[in-house]
Amino acid sequence: NKIAQDPDCRAVVISGAGKMFTSGVDLITACDIRYCTQDACFQVKEVDVGLAADVGTLQRLPKVIGNQSLVNELAFTARKMMADEALHSGLVSRMLPDKERMLDAAFTLATEISSKSPVAVQGTKVNLIYARDHSVAESLNYMASWNMSMLQTQDIIKSVQAAMEKKDMKSVTFSKL
Ligand SMILES: *[C@@H]1O[C@H](CO)[C@@H](O)[C@H](O)[C@H]1NC(C)=O
Ligand SMILES: *[C@@H]1O[C@H](CO)[C@@H](O)[C@H](O)[C@H]1NC(C)=O
């Protein structure tokens, strides 16, 4: 909640402090981009403890990996999915050899995202999520109204100027959200 209120925050890297990233919460599917180490594994563990997963896994996982048969297999059996399969099924978009290199890659990615116009990045994210959950026609209508607020910033002009002057995006001051 604190991060959401912070106008200077543009990207957040969440990583596990110990062996587990999360245990019992579905934070993984709530993240926009997922990286893992090659020794990682993933499990929808709830059926093993007599529960149906309750905080978003069953709602988000099918949309994240787009493979209902695989989702059912994982959720009905609580079997472990190893890093390789997570990469191939799209649960993660990169697999790194170890935690240090994974965090390096994550911070490089976050720095890259942070260098862009926050209004553009946030608008992209909101519209991608909207398009995931609605029809193309509905999403285009939504985009059209979103466009109006996006065009109220100077960020488009600033981005084009920076590109023409071959300036680093990181040196441009964009509007805050
Ligand atoms: C679904 O997942 C399985 C197991 O990872 C994989 O073999 C299969 O190709 C996937 N199917 C699609 C359509 O992605
Ligand atoms: C959004 O605005 C851009 C820039 O003015 C325009 O090219 C695009 O067609 C607009 N998209 C929609 C869906 O209205």
Side-chain angles (χ1 to χ4, degrees):
N1 286 341
K2 203 174 162 194
I3 289 167
Q5 302 300 319
D6 181 351
D8 291 320
C9 176
R10 298 190 180 181
V12 178
V13 175
I14 305 172
S15 66
K19 275 185 86 171
M20 294 278 190
F21 174 68
T22 58
S23 177
V25 186
D26 76 322
L27 190 55
I28 291 172
T29 54
C31 294
D32 296 319
I33 299 166
R34 292 163 293 276
Y35 285 1
C36 75
T37 54
Q38 64 186 10
D39 61 353
C41 68
F42 304 86
Q43 210 174 357
V44 185
K45 187 84 180 132
E46 280 81 351
V47 288
D48 271 355
V49 288
L51 284 174
D54 60 351
V55 272
T57 305
L58 302 180
Q59 292 67 37
R60 292 197 181 105
L61 193 60
K63 294 187 167 162
V64 166
I65 65 180
N67 186 333
Q68 191 68 49
S69 179
L70 176 59
V71 170
N72 291 345
E73 195 184 310
L74 294 169
F76 295 168
T77 66
R79 82 158 165 88
K80 283 185 179 162
M81 177 160 75
M82 310 313 272
D84 251 353
E85 194 182 358
L87 181 64
H88 291 129
S89 67
L91 180 61
V92 300
S93 50
R94 276 188 80 182
M95 182 174 77
L96 284 300
D98 51 48
K99 186 164 178 184
E100 202 188 328
R101 271 176 276 190
M102 181 187 64
L103 282 178
D104 271 356
F107 281 111
T108 303
L109 175 77
T111 306
E112 176 76 27
I113 294 170
S114 307
S115 72
K116 318 282 182 195
S117 151
V119 174
V121 173
Q122 190 72 6
T124 302
K125 171 172 166 165
V126 167
N127 279 283
L128 279 172
I129 292 173
Y130 193 92
R132 183 193 67 189
D133 299 337
H134 296 81
S135 71
V136 172
E138 285 167 326
S139 305
L140 283 171
N141 280 333
Y142 190 76
M143 185 77 230
S145 23
W146 189 274
N147 249 358
M148 295 171 202
S149 49
M150 218 146 52
L151 295 174
Q152 283 171 15
T153 75
Q154 296 293 306
D155 291 3
I156 299 173
I157 296 163
K158 286 181 188 168
S159 301
V160 173
Q161 250 166 12
M164 279 166 56
E165 291 164 18
K166 298 197 184 343
K167 276 202 319 211
D168 191 347
M169 282 294 172
K170 294 179 182 70
S171 66
V172 183
T173 309
F174 290 112
S175 309
K176 287 186 176 164
L177 287 173

